[in-house]
Amino acid sequence: MRTKQANPQNPITKPDTQQRSTGRIGDMEKIKIGDPDVVASRIALGTWAIGGWMWGGSDVPSALRTIEAATDHGITMIDTAPVYGFGLAEEIVGRALAPNGRKRILIATKCGLEWHGEKVRRNASLTRIREEIEDSLKRLQTDYIDLYQLHWPDPEIPMEETAGALAKLLREGKVRAIGVSNLDRSQTEKFRQIVPVHTIQPPYNLFERDIERDLLPYAKETGLIVLAYSALCRGLLSGRMSAATRFDGDDLRRVDPKFQQPRFNQYLAAVSELDRFARENFGRNVLLLAVRWILDKGPTIALWGARRPEHLHAVRQVAGWSLDEASTREIERILAAAIADPVGPQFMAPPERATEPAAA
Ligand SMILES: NC(=O)c1ccc[n+]([C@@H]2O[C@H](COP(=O)([O-])OP(=O)(O)OC[C@H]3O[C@@H](n4cnc5c(N)ncnc54)[C@H](OP(=O)(O)O)[C@@H]3O)[C@@H](O)[C@H]2O)c1
């Protein structure tokens, strides 16, 4: 299996340490988002778990150390959202970054959800977005957001109103780039007619591949950057889980259909085979393979959710190698052989105007 050459036309900067299985640690790859000044690391820290809600609770000191570890390892983008811990994740990001100044760390956050207690619903109205941006800026202890993303589409609000609100924030300099999350291709196309969109944020990992049908090709055609969420499939691709793994409290994996038997065993079998394949061919584990696979799929940033500093110790081992076509084919074979009953991440969608709590 050969290493793949980078395409010189794309916005991705790879270090010149292209090699396969030497175990050499590479420099972080970078990618431009819109404005040439907005250059992000291709691995970003995801902070949903740090907020605790739907992840069995938050450990603030550990979260602060995780953010410090992320920046030490060369991660320069942090993805968060008001709803993660109902403000707590943003507050933690603010506390972690403010003492040293923002400098080179890019903050990506979101808008378009509201909550009452722990009941979450969509609200992407102009009024809600104006309120949310001010709250986010306070919690993040900053006066601008590098990437501001609509978290979920809100069918009850005209897209012109939502997109118009974001366009205004861009003009005011409160946000530097705009993204959309969980929008399909036609919704994204419509949104882009009203306001410049720089990024999309869909679920994308080895097990959740819907975007390959149309959103990913669309992003490649149009220059949109893809922030791939649940890069580790909510920890399933970390390689640490077994059939005996249990989750506490409100941890969403207690209801995530991938983590329920008999399906859980199918996914665990795939993880085990992928791990064997990664070790034999690249001297890496399944987690590193999962992140590398995302980066090799196009103009992507992998959102790696971590809540303990040791989660990130191998980040730099994602760089310096890549997957060729034969490897990609073998990965497809492993997935098809192991997973007879695949299921997607649809269970995470928050209700449009209902009152049941939901993921975001
Ligand atoms: N836009 C949206 O609607 C949306 C939706 C979902 C996610 N996101 C974004 O994407 C980010 C990542 O997705 P995600 O939070 O769903 O999860 P993920 O990145 O797929 O998985 C995160 C979990 O993997 C485990 N993990 C990470 N590194 C590990 C390591 N080295 N060893 C062992 N386990 C490890 C940890 O679980 P344990 O601590 O439990 O072991 C961690 O909480 C989020 O934080 C958020 O920023 C966005």
Side-chain angles (χ1 to χ4, degrees):
M1 294 175 188
R2 287 164 292 109
T3 51
K4 196 175 64 181
Q5 295 304 308
N7 173 1
Q9 300 302 316
N10 72 24
I12 298 167
T13 314
K14 277 195 169 194
D16 57 1
T17 51
Q18 294 290 305
Q19 52 183 325
R20 212 185 83 195
S21 58
T22 61
R24 181 165 151 190
I25 294 176
D27 292 332
M28 180 64 74
E29 292 162 37
K30 309 255 173 41
I31 194 162
K32 283 185 202 165
I33 298 176
D35 182 320
D37 287 333
V38 184
V39 178
S41 55
R42 293 194 68 205
I43 297 173
L45 174 67
T47 62
W48 184 14
I50 274 176
W53 171 65
M54 302 206 80
W55 287 85
S58 180
D59 176 343
V60 175
S62 174
L64 291 167
R65 289 199 308 277
T66 303
I67 294 170
E68 194 183 333
T71 59
D72 285 351
H73 291 307
I75 289 176
T76 64
M77 176 179 264
I78 298 178
D79 181 74
T80 188
V83 78
Y84 297 164
F86 308 112
L88 182 59
E90 284 192 335
E91 269 172 40
I92 291 171
V93 173
R95 275 178 61 188
L97 299 185
N100 299 316
R102 288 275 304 281
K103 296 198 181 111
R104 60 194 179 90
I105 309 300
L106 306 179
I107 296 177
T109 193
K110 310 189 186 83
C111 61
L113 293 178
E114 66 179 7
W115 59 88
H116 301 279
E118 292 202 356
K119 309 245 186 243
V120 174
R121 66 175 198 175
R122 307 183 197 204
N123 183 350
S125 66
L126 169 68
T127 313
R128 175 66 186 152
I129 291 173
R130 296 301 302 186
E131 182 181 83
E132 280 190 282
I133 183 89
E134 296 308 327
D135 289 346
S136 289
L137 291 172
K138 266 189 224 115
R139 289 190 288 252
L140 290 161
Q141 303 187 40
T142 186
D143 52 9
Y144 67 94
I145 305 293
D146 296 284
L147 176 62
Y148 203 49
Q149 305 157 100
L150 173 62
H151 204 150
W152 282 87
D154 181 352
E156 291 191 22
I157 299 292
M159 201 173 267
E160 289 73 13
E161 178 175 334
T162 304
L166 297 185
K168 192 155 185 292
L169 294 175
L170 195 63
R171 283 196 302 277
E172 290 169 0
K174 291 192 173 181
V175 310
R176 296 173 77 199
I178 288 175
V180 292
S181 180
N182 298 302
L183 268 62
D184 65 23
R185 177 178 172 151
S186 68
Q187 289 167 326
T188 307
E189 278 174 331
K190 193 172 168 201
F191 212 87
R192 293 182 70 219
Q193 286 164 11
I194 311 166
V195 65
V197 172
H198 304 93
T199 64
I200 57 176
Q201 187 178 141
Y204 191 44
N205 60 59
L206 273 162
F207 295 145
E208 294 173 339
R209 312 267 294 269
D210 274 7
I211 68 164
E212 290 176 357
R213 263 186 283 125
D214 57 2
L215 254 187
L216 184 59
Y218 178 66
K220 288 180 184 173
E221 277 162 34
T222 56
L224 287 168
I225 306 299
V226 180
L227 275 65
Y229 81 62
S230 293
L232 305 179
C233 202
R234 301 172 289 290
L236 190 47
L237 284 160
S238 71
R240 82 149 179 97
M241 290 182 190
S242 73
T245 303
R246 297 285 174 269
F247 305 101
D248 297 327
D250 71 346
D251 196 309
L252 79 165
R253 293 167 293 188
R254 293 176 76 176
V255 295
D256 186 331
K258 279 199 185 61
F259 294 75
Q260 313 308 316
Q261 296 294 11
R263 210 185 251 125
F264 191 29
N265 273 349
Q266 295 176 18
Y267 282 99
L268 290 172
V271 170
S272 164
E273 270 298 287
L274 291 168
D275 191 54
R276 181 197 53 74
F277 171 76
R279 288 178 195 276
E280 285 176 4
N281 290 279
F282 300 101
R284 307 301 208 276
N285 62 20
V286 61
L287 185 154
L288 296 167
L289 180 81
V291 180
R292 184 70 256 165
W293 180 88
I294 291 171
L295 301 191
D296 287 348
K297 283 289 179 177
T300 51
I301 293 175
L303 297 184
W304 181 333
R307 49 180 168 181
R308 292 202 291 276
E310 58 271 24
H311 280 160
L312 296 171
H313 79 271
V315 160
R316 284 186 190 269
Q317 289 182 41
V318 175
W321 58 298
S322 54
L323 298 166
D324 62 6
E325 280 178 28
S327 305
T328 306
R329 270 199 307 277
E330 179 57 10
I331 289 169
E332 296 304 324
R333 192 200 61 74
I334 291 170
L335 295 175
I339 305 162
D341 188 19
V343 64
Q346 292 79 0
F347 81 103
M348 288 199 289
E352 289 166 10
R353 294 286 162 167
T355 50
E356 286 306 305

